Amino acid sequence: MWFNTLDFAVFFIVVWTLYWLLPLRAQNVMLLVASYFFYGYWDWRFLSLIAISTMVDYIAGLKIDRAATEGGPGSARRKKAWLIASICTNLGLLGFFKYFDFFIDSLSAVVASFGLDPGRLHLGIVLPVGISFYTFQTMSYTIDIYRGKMKPTRRLLEFALFVAFFPQLVAGPIERAKALLPQMLRKRRFDFYQFVDGLHLIFWGLFKKIFVADNLAPFVDRVFGVSLEQFAAIDPSGFAVICGAYAFALQIYCDFSGYSDIARGCAKCMGFELRLNFNHPFAAKNPAEFWQRWHISLSTWVRDYLYISMGGSRRGTVRTYFNLAVAMVLIGLWHGAQWGRVLWGAQQAVLLILHRMLEPFLAKLSWARGRLLDGLWGLAKMIFMFQLFCMGLIIFRALSVGQALDMFWRIWVWKGAADWSLVLPLLGYAGPLLIFEVIQVVLERDDLHRLERVPAWAKSAACAMVFYLLAFYGATAQSFFYFQF
Amino acid sequence: MRTWLRRAGVVVLFLLVLEFCARLDDWIRWGAPWWGPYSYAVLLVDDARGRHGRPQARFEKWQLNSYGFRGPEITMAKPKGVVRIAVAGASETFGLYETPGMEYPAQMQQLLDAEAPGRYQVLNTASVGMTLPRVIQQLRGWTRRFEPDVLIVLVAPTSYLYGTAPSFDPPAERPAPPLVDHVRIYRKSKTVLRRLVPTWIQAWVREGHTAWVVRQHEPGWVWQEAPPERVTLFREHLEALIDEVRSSAVQVVLVTHPAYPPESSGRYRALLARMRDGSPRSSEACLVGMEAAVNRLIQELGKKRGIPVVDLATILAKDRENFADMFHFTDQGARQVASALVKQILSLPAEGTISR
């Protein structure tokens, strides 16, 4: 049930209406049933995985806390054992469903050397929607309890709801239990302004998804192709590859941030606050800042539970670079069981490491004086960072490593002529988005709804224009890009 | 009170801006006028020739040339050495769902140009709702001036199932456009709603309306099979067309009418409901029966009078790739139709012309 379908609209209206008619406990029961229905709408069989993850982490959380509370000999070992059980269960589910076939295919030569047939070991496993998100979310719960940062909840219903909460279940934001669980436990009151904010977010998210992302998707497919044979037939010029990379950057940003906005909007309409997941990432001036603005919930998760656990930046320069590399490669792998994604993660790691190495020298380069030159220098850095991001996206989106290299080669040798007609659809679909994004960045507002000083008539006119584009130029419903993560 | 007035003002402004966007959109994309109604009706004109395409008219993707035909500009005088093929019919021929330039007469032109560049010229003389009597009248009063060598006729049998059967009488005066025709956003919204609302709901609403219309009439009002008097009328009109064309020594090619076949899918149900809503007197069996009866008639008359018949009803594969709805073609379907007709054209003997 995609957010951009009539089915979801009907589902949400029914759920929202029932929600505000019920008292707290019944609200949570209804939300849990609705969330399971929402997830089961794709494939009811995978509800069992959510149930497993929920039960294991619920019990593990209680046991870890009990061991910590009781103390005594062996408590540390018991704590660790339950933590390992939680992590192994979640990563085991994730590893099996997402990566088993990938590793079998990648290690086929090794597998064959043992006299085994890799083809027979390839299971053709279906990837459950959202598994990369909810497993990370539940692991953060047990890890935070282990670290003493929070106490476990004994309320299984609310915990199950925390795991399966439908607005953010299948594509984030990856929430922390400390932030979301208390909201599940306390009474929610209807707040008209919060509800309107939620509607604004849903509206803006739908615009980004339906008008920008879904309209750019065919354009991207026409450059990258949907198969290597098709790519060979398309034979794009270097200019077309660049346009395709820009289009894909906008597509993936609008697709993912659009989903996050809709998720946050739906949650707001029910009195919940989900974290901001994208904070104008194209305004980033360097790789480190980029990862503070892009997929914030994932990058902070990896920082808090992997990078810092490995020592972060506390164990010397070389170890810091190593930790960064591991973290980013795993982020790449999280994005898909493909070597292209791993390489993309590696590219991001290289950028981050280079930035760290060069930062002291870059700071000394601050020759810009005055607000205008400072602004221009900042703009130049943003544009440069965007180019670096797009280069990485060529690796991310390419159907194979070979295709990615081919596309870089086409840019390098500037194969073919520049076809400026390709720029028109790009500007046409991305133009309105860029205008709003620039306004928000310049005004330093987080969300569109905070433009309080704009008169109501101007907001009404702007909404009408955006609504028109959404209703009459929105592409037909396509799935969200991150659903298969 | 002031708060409510302010809120109402915001809502009104919202709607006005939507309407402005719709008009701006139409102006940029189609060169539509800013004021006045803008609908399909702008493509038609009623005059001494009857109802036909308005010269130089444009509505969205549909653009008519100086002679009211869909297609490129032509001269009335036939260029020397060119074989002119006039294609007559209703919306299937005029082209509804196809990308501009992909309606089957245009694709015929492309195929014939590939075969023999500059040798053939295809004129799309069709307009939406054109019946056999209108084809005959247009032929007499207009099409013959273009000296076609060949006339291809594809007429929908369903026009014989409406309340008023096709006739040679002048068309009824078109009522003034309703007020909603002046509201561009209303028309555009209907298109979006059709896309969003599930087809089963659309079918259910239309079926309900059809059932209500049927209830206003006496039992037995609904035709359960092809009404014999309408089939006979079709035969008479077809014979009249053949006589008219024969008298002018132009070669005529008849075409059987292809249709999306009955099936149990939701999509078919929605299409059928839409069809029946326009012709509530016709049951599904009647619609299917009329198609079969008319196609049999075309084959029979063609054989009897020595006229080539292209059996599109058999040739065109009946799947969703060829049909956008029950009768109208997709780009691919139009291609198949064009190919079949071009094959027939190329096998025809030496051309003749209509004398003025």
Side-chain angles (χ1 to χ4, degrees):
Chain A
M1 204 191 301
W2 304 329
F3 278 179
N4 52 329
T5 59
L6 195 64
D7 293 358
F8 179 77
V10 171
F11 166 82
F12 183 66
I13 289 169
V14 169
V15 166
W16 182 86
T17 307
L18 280 175
Y19 177 82
W20 288 112
L21 293 173
L22 297 170
L24 172 65
R25 189 110 182 120
Q27 276 181 340
N28 289 346
V29 171
M30 193 274 297
L31 273 183
L32 184 64
V33 169
S35 298
Y36 283 164
F37 174 82
F38 175 81
Y39 191 80
Y41 199 81
W42 274 290
D43 196 327
W44 59 270
R45 296 171 298 175
F46 293 127
L47 281 171
S48 56
L49 302 183
I50 293 185
I52 291 170
S53 190
T54 302
M55 289 312 301
V56 166
D57 288 320
Y58 174 73
I59 294 168
L62 290 171
K63 294 290 189 190
I64 290 169
D65 183 64
R66 191 169 166 189
T69 310
E70 285 174 355
S75 68
R77 203 159 32 89
R78 285 201 308 278
K79 268 179 63 177
K80 197 168 240 181
W82 281 107
L83 177 68
I84 290 171
S86 163
I87 292 174
C88 285
T89 303
N90 286 294
L91 290 183
L93 287 174
L94 185 63
F96 177 75
F97 282 95
K98 193 167 177 180
Y99 299 108
F100 181 84
D101 283 339
F102 167 65
F103 284 120
I104 289 295
D105 292 340
S106 301
L107 300 171
S108 54
V110 172
V111 169
S113 69
F114 282 96
L116 296 166
D117 178 4
R120 293 181 77 176
L121 290 176
H122 184 102
L123 299 177
I125 299 168
V126 173
L127 178 63
V129 172
I131 192 168
S132 306
F133 292 90
Y134 67 75
T135 50
F136 272 39
Q137 186 154 309
T138 55
M139 278 195 291
S140 76
Y141 171 76
T142 48
I143 296 172
D144 279 347
I145 293 170
Y146 178 83
R147 288 177 175 173
K149 290 189 174 174
M150 66 175 288
K151 299 297 271 181
T153 179
R154 293 192 175 278
R155 305 270 287 265
L156 178 58
L157 168 69
E158 279 71 19
F159 180 73
L161 182 57
F162 157 71
V163 177
F165 188 42
F166 75 85
Q168 43 91 232
L169 172 60
V170 292
I174 302 171
E175 280 296 330
R176 304 296 175 89
K178 277 188 301 184
L180 188 54
L181 208 42
Q183 297 186 66
M184 305 277 165
L185 294 165
R186 67 169 175 254
K187 188 174 170 57
R188 277 90 56 183
R189 291 187 194 286
F190 181 78
D191 181 319
F192 178 74
Y193 294 102
Q194 189 183 31
F195 172 65
V196 169
D197 279 352
L199 290 180
H200 278 143
L201 278 170
I202 292 171
F203 179 57
W204 186 236
L206 285 173
F207 174 76
K208 284 198 277 191
K209 167 62 181 164
I210 296 174
F211 180 71
V212 188
D214 286 354
N215 275 316
L216 286 177
F219 180 87
V220 172
D221 287 344
R222 278 200 297 275
V223 174
F224 285 82
V226 292
S227 67
L228 291 174
E229 293 75 26
Q230 190 188 34
F231 175 71
I234 293 167
D235 192 26
S237 64
F239 184 80
V241 170
I242 290 174
C243 289
Y246 288 171
F248 183 60
L250 292 165
Q251 180 203 345
I252 197 171
Y253 168 62
C254 289
D255 196 288
F256 200 11
S257 69
Y259 181 94
S260 293
D261 284 345
I262 298 170
R264 289 173 61 223
C266 291
K268 259 189 199 278
C269 289
M270 294 186 288
F272 295 97
E273 293 291 338
L274 298 181
R275 63 184 307 168
L276 185 66
N277 211 12
F278 290 85
N279 187 15
H280 312 293
F282 300 147
K285 300 186 189 73
N286 56 65
E289 189 185 349
F290 180 83
W291 281 101
Q292 289 163 5
R293 291 173 175 269
W294 177 277
H295 202 350
I296 299 166
S297 65
L298 175 68
S299 59
T300 52
W301 195 101
V302 170
R303 179 198 64 198
D304 293 343
Y305 300 113
L306 181 66
Y307 179 72
I308 288 177
S309 302
M310 291 173 67
S313 54
R314 297 190 307 266
R315 294 192 188 175
T317 308
V318 173
R319 182 58 191 252
T320 300
Y321 295 162
F322 174 76
N323 294 342
L324 266 177
V326 168
M328 294 314 295
V329 166
L330 287 177
I331 281 182
L333 192 59
W334 180 92
H335 278 80
Q338 297 166 33
W339 285 112
R341 305 287 160 89
V342 174
L343 275 177
W344 170 75
Q347 183 245 2
Q348 293 296 309
V350 166
L351 290 178
L352 283 167
I353 291 168
L354 280 174
H355 175 250
R356 269 190 179 249
M357 288 166 73
L358 297 172
E359 199 179 5
F361 305 103
L362 288 172
K364 289 179 189 167
L365 278 180
S366 152
W367 50 272
R369 293 284 178 267
R371 203 178 157 113
L372 176 64
L373 285 176
D374 204 39
L376 287 173
W377 179 232
L379 182 63
K381 286 194 281 187
M382 281 183 215
I383 292 171
F384 184 64
M385 184 58 223
F386 182 69
Q387 310 311 310
L388 292 176
F389 177 62
C390 290
M391 273 176 55
L393 283 184
I394 291 176
I395 305 170
F396 186 97
R397 175 62 175 79
L399 300 164
S400 69
V401 175
Q403 185 193 21
L405 291 173
D406 186 327
M407 294 180 104
F408 283 128
W409 171 79
R410 285 165 192 267
I411 298 172
W412 181 254
V413 303
W414 200 244
K415 183 174 163 52
D419 180 5
W420 290 96
S421 67
L422 290 174
V423 176
L424 225 72
L426 199 57
L427 282 179
Y429 292 123
L433 168 83
L434 292 173
I435 291 169
F436 281 108
E437 291 273 317
V438 165
I439 290 172
Q440 285 178 266
V441 168
V442 166
L443 294 180
E444 291 177 359
R445 302 288 192 185
D446 283 338
D447 292 299
L448 194 65
H449 71 283
R450 287 206 199 164
L451 297 171
E452 290 126 355
R453 290 185 201 160
V454 178
W457 65 265
K459 278 194 280 198
S460 172
C463 276
M465 287 188 264
V466 171
F467 180 80
Y468 185 86
L469 289 174
L470 173 63
F472 301 106
Y473 283 92
T476 51
Q478 298 206 24
S479 70
F480 284 87
F481 198 86
Y482 271 65
F483 264 19
Q484 285 300 299
F485 294 170
Chain B
M1 182 65 176
R2 267 165 70 173
T3 309
W4 283 107
L5 276 174
R6 210 167 30 238
R7 285 178 185 172
V10 164
V11 169
V12 167
L13 179 66
F14 181 89
L15 294 171
L16 284 174
V17 172
L18 273 184
E19 178 64 14
F20 170 79
C21 289
R23 287 173 189 255
L24 180 66
D25 189 14
D26 283 342
W27 178 69
I28 291 172
R29 288 181 73 189
W30 315 115
W34 276 92
W35 309 110
Y38 184 65
S39 66
Y40 176 77
V42 306
L43 292 177
L44 298 172
V45 65
D46 291 335
D47 59 22
R49 282 202 275 132
R51 182 166 297 162
H52 59 90
R54 183 192 302 271
Q56 297 287 11
R58 184 171 184 184
F59 173 67
E60 293 187 351
K61 66 180 181 183
W62 295 279
Q63 163 98 56
L64 305 185
N65 63 19
S66 305
Y67 297 108
F69 299 149
R70 192 177 180 194
E73 284 299 338
I74 55 169
T75 56
M76 187 175 276
K78 187 170 66 173
K80 202 176 156 79
V82 165
V83 175
R84 237 178 205 175
I85 301 149
V87 187
S91 49
E92 299 92 328
T93 304
F94 184 73
L96 279 196
Y97 298 97
E98 300 91 332
T99 312
M102 295 299 274
E103 60 278 10
Y104 81 77
Q107 295 210 52
M108 280 178 67
Q109 183 71 67
Q110 292 163 24
L111 290 170
L112 288 167
D113 282 344
E115 189 67 34
R119 175 92 174 102
Y120 297 93
Q121 192 177 54
V122 180
L123 310 186
N124 185 349
T125 68
S127 65
V128 172
M130 192 175 248
T131 58
L132 272 177
R134 297 277 168 259
V135 171
I136 295 168
Q137 285 171 333
Q138 189 184 61
L139 185 62
R140 276 182 201 150
W142 187 240
T143 312
R144 66 171 59 218
R145 296 194 207 178
F146 294 87
E147 302 172 284
D149 300 287
V150 180
L151 176 70
I152 296 177
V153 180
L154 169 59
V155 179
T158 45
S159 56
Y160 285 79
L161 294 175
Y162 295 142
T164 310
S167 72
F168 290 91
D169 297 336
E173 198 178 311
R174 280 189 289 164
L179 201 59
V180 287
D181 263 14
H182 293 263
V183 181
R184 306 267 176 99
I185 199 72
Y186 169 74
R187 180 176 50 78
K188 286 177 184 285
S189 302
K190 284 202 298 184
T191 313
V192 169
L193 278 173
R194 251 185 235 128
R195 207 172 67 209
L196 283 179
V197 174
T199 50
W200 68 266
I201 293 179
Q202 293 183 52
W204 179 71
V205 168
R206 288 188 188 274
E207 283 166 1
H209 179 253
T210 303
W212 176 82
V213 169
V214 168
R215 279 196 298 273
Q216 312 308 310
H217 295 84
E218 68 281 3
W221 177 75
V222 173
W223 290 315
Q224 298 301 331
E225 57 179 18
E229 68 276 16
R230 298 290 176 102
V231 176
T232 304
L233 188 64
F234 182 89
R235 186 191 188 105
E236 286 168 11
H237 289 160
L238 192 57
E239 297 255 30
L241 172 71
I242 295 169
D243 291 338
E244 180 70 32
V245 173
R246 277 282 170 84
S247 72
S248 309
V250 69
Q251 297 188 70
V252 64
V253 175
L254 298 177
V255 186
T256 58
H257 189 260
Y260 194 74
E263 59 180 44
S264 59
S265 76
R267 182 176 182 251
Y268 176 76
R269 182 186 160 202
L271 294 174
L272 180 65
R274 201 162 150 187
M275 188 68 238
R276 286 210 63 208
D277 204 27
S279 173
R281 202 172 175 188
S282 312
S283 63
E284 181 184 347
C286 169
L287 287 168
V288 172
M290 190 69 181
E291 285 281 323
V294 156
N295 286 340
R296 261 195 316 271
L297 207 60
I298 291 170
Q299 296 270 30
E300 188 192 299
L301 277 177
K303 200 171 173 179
K304 183 177 157 193
R305 306 215 30 192
I307 289 167
V309 174
V310 178
D311 191 11
L312 271 188
T314 306
I315 294 169
L316 190 61
K318 293 171 185 44
D319 53 41
R320 295 181 192 194
E321 264 128 43
N322 290 334
F323 286 92
D325 67 16
M326 279 186 79
F327 306 122
H328 299 95
F329 312 119
T330 58
D331 287 359
Q332 180 180 311
R335 186 68 168 192
Q336 307 277 333
V337 171
S339 300
L341 292 175
V342 161
K343 196 172 162 185
Q344 178 62 56
I345 298 284
L346 293 173
S347 67
L348 285 176
E351 67 279 6
T353 56
I354 296 179
S355 55
R356 289 190 185 233

